[in-house]
Amino acid sequence: MREVDLGCGRALLLKEHGEFSAIAHKCPHYGAPLVKGVLSKGHVRCPWHGACFSIASGDIEDFPGLDSLPTFQVRVEKDKVIIRANKQALQSQKRTKLMSKCSAVINSSTSFSHVLIIGAGPAGLVCAETLRQEGFTDRIVMCTMEKHHPYDRPKLSKSLESTVEQLRLRSAEFFQNHDIELLTEKEVTSVDVRTKTITFQDGLKMEYRKLLIATGSRPKPLNYKGKDVENVFYLRTPEDANNIARLVSNKNAVIVGTSFIGMEVAAALTDKAHSVSVIGVEGVPFRKALGEKVGKAIMKVQKTLILLLKEVVLKSGKVLRADVCVIGAGSSPATSFLKQSGIHTDSKGFITVSKTMQTNVDGIFAAGDAVTFPLPLRGNKKVNIPHWQMAHLHGRVAALNMMGRVTEIKTVPYFWTAMFGKSIRYAGHGEGFDDVIIQGDLDELKFVAFYTKSEEVVAVASMNYDPIVSRVAEVFGSGKTIKKRDVE
């Protein structure tokens, strides 16, 4: 792979099996330089967050992100490689796939939709877009409890001052142009699978032919006195993030919970607040997900800025002064409205789906943080993976199966977190790991950690070690296994 300058923009020139091709050089998700990614078997994998793009068509093949890449003409004349590119495509560095229009005769008051999507996160949005990209011409309605169009929620905890406009995934015009109807501030209270009808809190009913449930998760509420105070937040919306940033200036902030979100918020507040305290029941953050050694390494970066307590006034009697409090004590699936529906949920409230994202009820699919699904990477074990990338893929698989194009989920989970200008990349599914093999230097925060279960590597995490995680994701994605002895 080689990045080349064409005067009015840059392109990525690729050579695989003696064949040349050229595509845009930046990942359309967050702008990562693809030249630093991994070229393998006809696609390029982004070094930052693992999105994959076909080098032949530029189409996005794995997520995160909504857009594909423009491709450019390449010809070889004697010893010269000549690229011919569209100036506009060179400058935008992304391409939205062509979409069908809705041909059904409807008006917005019609209480029937061919496809009804509950939830407007990445799973719901990718489902709607995939349907239109694949030629679906009937009505699509998305509904959400929120008042905003779909936005980039992972950015909330990392960049608290971002506006709704900066976070928006698609413009209002995009939805109009592609005939995707969006109903905001609409909470679904029940689903009747017999009559194929949903009921909203305001009493409105809507019938559907196919249904996608992509309601995500809700923060676990903490039981405490004075719940009506205005300086305690569960970070859910852009308004929550903006209010935290506004109130915290030179004040004392307390974060309850050492989750990824809690620690990202703590990191984001250190240059704004007078003090930041993090309360966690675990002695080391991220121990369950990343292991003790990696957790301690990250804790060192934060030690000068963050006090990590061992107990959650606290049980120890210690009183922490808190002008602003953010609660990040975990989440649970937002599925309580399904209780009497006949749609199967497990003991924790997660919707169980098949490899095609179908629930136990014909024509009803579910996707995103609210589901458990069979993960091929771990022998089809039913797992819940609340990652941004995974929700995108669920939405696409659900859409294809709604259209009768039988498609099974096949991906390598890819996750990232960022704090203090440092990023951790993670690929695989490390639940139940029994050993961690570390290469590099934890103190310098330049390392790769391989998580093993018995004799097999099940996940990998890294800091300042790109593109190792994308490279391992490629190996996992090709169906190969990495043995513990290979790493050692």
Side-chain angles (χ1 to χ4, degrees):
M1 294 194 287
R2 186 167 158 192
E3 211 176 88
V4 293
D5 196 343
L6 303 185
C8 55
R10 297 175 84 78
L12 184 66
L13 180 65
L14 308 120
K15 187 182 182 186
E16 192 178 34
H17 308 308
E19 293 286 316
F20 286 97
S21 52
I23 56 176
H25 71 102
K26 277 185 186 175
C27 177
H29 177 230
Y30 281 3
L34 293 173
V35 72
K36 293 187 176 172
V38 180
L39 171 63
S40 171
K41 294 184 178 144
H43 69 237
V44 175
R45 187 182 281 270
C46 170
W48 290 0
H49 307 131
C52 294
F53 302 91
S54 162
I55 63 175
S57 65
D59 286 353
I60 188 165
E61 294 182 340
D62 204 343
F63 301 90
L66 298 169
D67 291 310
S68 294
L69 299 175
T71 56
F72 309 122
Q73 289 177 10
V74 181
R75 70 179 195 274
V76 180
E77 286 184 6
K78 293 180 182 169
D79 58 347
K80 286 198 175 82
V81 179
I82 297 162
I83 302 173
R84 183 189 174 100
N86 173 297
K87 276 187 185 178
Q88 205 179 341
L90 268 181
Q91 277 154 11
S92 77
Q93 288 288 316
K94 59 185 179 185
R95 168 178 64 85
T96 303
K97 285 187 185 176
L98 289 172
M99 299 197 196
S100 302
K101 299 286 280 182
C102 179
S103 61
V105 180
I106 45 168
N107 64 53
S108 56
S109 62
T110 308
S111 59
F112 169 77
S113 182
H114 298 87
V115 170
L116 184 57
I117 297 168
I118 309 174
L125 181 57
V126 171
C127 178
E129 289 197 22
T130 300
L131 289 168
R132 287 285 181 249
Q133 288 163 3
E134 298 295 325
F136 185 80
T137 56
D138 285 329
R139 190 183 193 193
I140 301 171
V141 174
M142 292 174 74
C143 56
T144 174
M145 287 168 61
E146 301 220 22
K147 61 181 178 185
H148 304 300
H149 281 62
Y151 60 88
D152 192 339
R153 182 169 268 144
K155 277 188 180 171
L156 288 183
S157 51
K158 301 171 185 76
S159 184
L160 295 162
E161 287 159 322
S162 298
T163 64
V164 174
E165 286 68 33
Q166 289 167 331
L167 294 168
R168 196 167 278 167
L169 294 171
R170 294 296 196 200
S171 65
E173 294 76 43
F174 180 92
F175 287 89
Q176 286 165 2
N177 292 343
H178 302 297
D179 295 332
I180 299 167
E181 296 172 60
L182 182 67
L183 307 178
T184 54
E185 297 182 274
K186 284 282 188 190
E187 182 174 358
V188 177
T189 53
S190 66
V191 177
D192 187 328
V193 302
R194 194 177 46 80
T195 60
K196 295 192 170 185
T197 306
I198 67 164
T199 304
F200 294 103
Q201 196 168 31
D202 59 8
L204 180 76
K205 290 181 187 295
M206 187 168 258
E207 290 178 55
Y208 61 85
R209 193 165 289 155
K210 293 277 189 336
L211 180 68
L212 178 73
I213 302 164
T215 43
S217 57
R218 286 198 170 113
K220 279 184 182 164
L222 206 63
N223 202 9
Y224 59 93
K225 290 176 186 171
K227 285 193 177 183
D228 52 350
V229 292
E230 290 180 6
N231 62 339
V232 176
F233 298 93
Y234 292 92
L235 179 59
R236 283 298 289 166
T237 65
E239 287 80 9
D240 292 337
N242 295 170
N243 285 331
I244 292 166
R246 181 175 52 81
L247 288 175
V248 84
S249 182
N250 290 320
K251 298 286 194 346
N252 302 293
V254 171
I255 315 294
V256 179
T258 54
S259 63
F260 284 103
I261 287 176
M263 299 306 272
E264 286 171 4
V265 171
L269 293 182
T270 50
D271 60 349
K272 297 178 179 69
H274 171 66
S275 72
V276 179
S277 303
V278 179
I279 302 168
V281 289
E282 288 277 353
V284 176
F286 314 139
R287 183 166 63 183
K288 202 172 170 189
L290 299 177
E292 184 124 354
K293 289 177 185 171
V294 175
K296 280 183 173 168
I298 297 163
M299 198 169 156
K300 266 186 195 167
V301 190
Q302 299 168 326
K303 207 66 185 246
T304 54
L305 304 158
I306 294 174
L307 163 70
L308 190 70
L309 304 175
K310 286 190 171 63
E311 294 179 309
V312 176
V313 164
L314 297 181
K315 273 190 182 174
S316 62
K318 185 174 174 71
V319 178
L320 286 176
R321 187 157 170 219
D323 300 304
V324 177
C325 180
V326 181
I327 297 172
S331 61
S332 53
T335 57
S336 55
F337 68 98
L338 297 175
K339 274 195 177 131
Q340 308 300 320
S341 68
I343 297 165
H344 187 262
T345 56
D346 69 12
S347 58
K348 292 179 179 174
F350 293 108
I351 306 164
T352 51
V353 296
S354 67
K355 291 179 190 177
T356 59
M357 307 314 295
Q358 173 124 342
T359 66
N360 61 308
V361 180
D362 193 44
I364 298 181
F365 298 80
D369 292 8
V371 309
T372 59
F373 66 97
L375 183 66
L377 194 67
R378 295 293 296 271
N380 293 319
K381 178 185 173 188
K382 282 275 176 93
V383 296
N384 168 254
I385 301 179
H387 295 175
W388 193 242
Q389 168 254 353
M390 192 58 73
H392 285 69
L393 189 75
H394 284 178
R396 179 160 178 81
V397 172
L400 292 169
N401 286 295
M402 281 178 178
M403 294 179 73
R405 298 183 193 175
V406 179
T407 307
E408 294 187 352
I409 190 152
K410 185 181 183 296
T411 189
V412 177
Y414 206 110
F415 167 78
W416 70 95
T417 183
M419 50 193 86
F420 303 109
K422 313 273 184 202
S423 286
I424 294 177
R425 328 245 186 254
Y426 181 100
H429 186 64
E431 191 179 28
F433 68 88
D434 52 33
D435 197 9
V436 187
I437 299 163
I438 291 171
Q439 293 175 6
D441 192 327
L442 282 171
D443 292 333
E444 294 287 316
L445 296 177
K446 187 179 166 79
F447 65 87
V448 54
F450 294 92
Y451 299 87
T452 62
K453 192 168 185 185
S454 59
E455 292 307 305
E456 197 175 309
V457 175
V458 290
V460 61
S462 81
M463 264 180 123
N464 294 312
Y465 228 89
D466 289 343
I468 185 75
V469 170
S470 286
R471 203 169 277 155
V472 171
E474 276 304 306
V475 176
F476 285 161
S478 69
K480 292 176 186 156
T481 55
I482 302 173
K483 295 290 181 190
K484 192 173 182 177
R485 62 175 180 270
D486 301 335
V487 175
E488 286 170 335

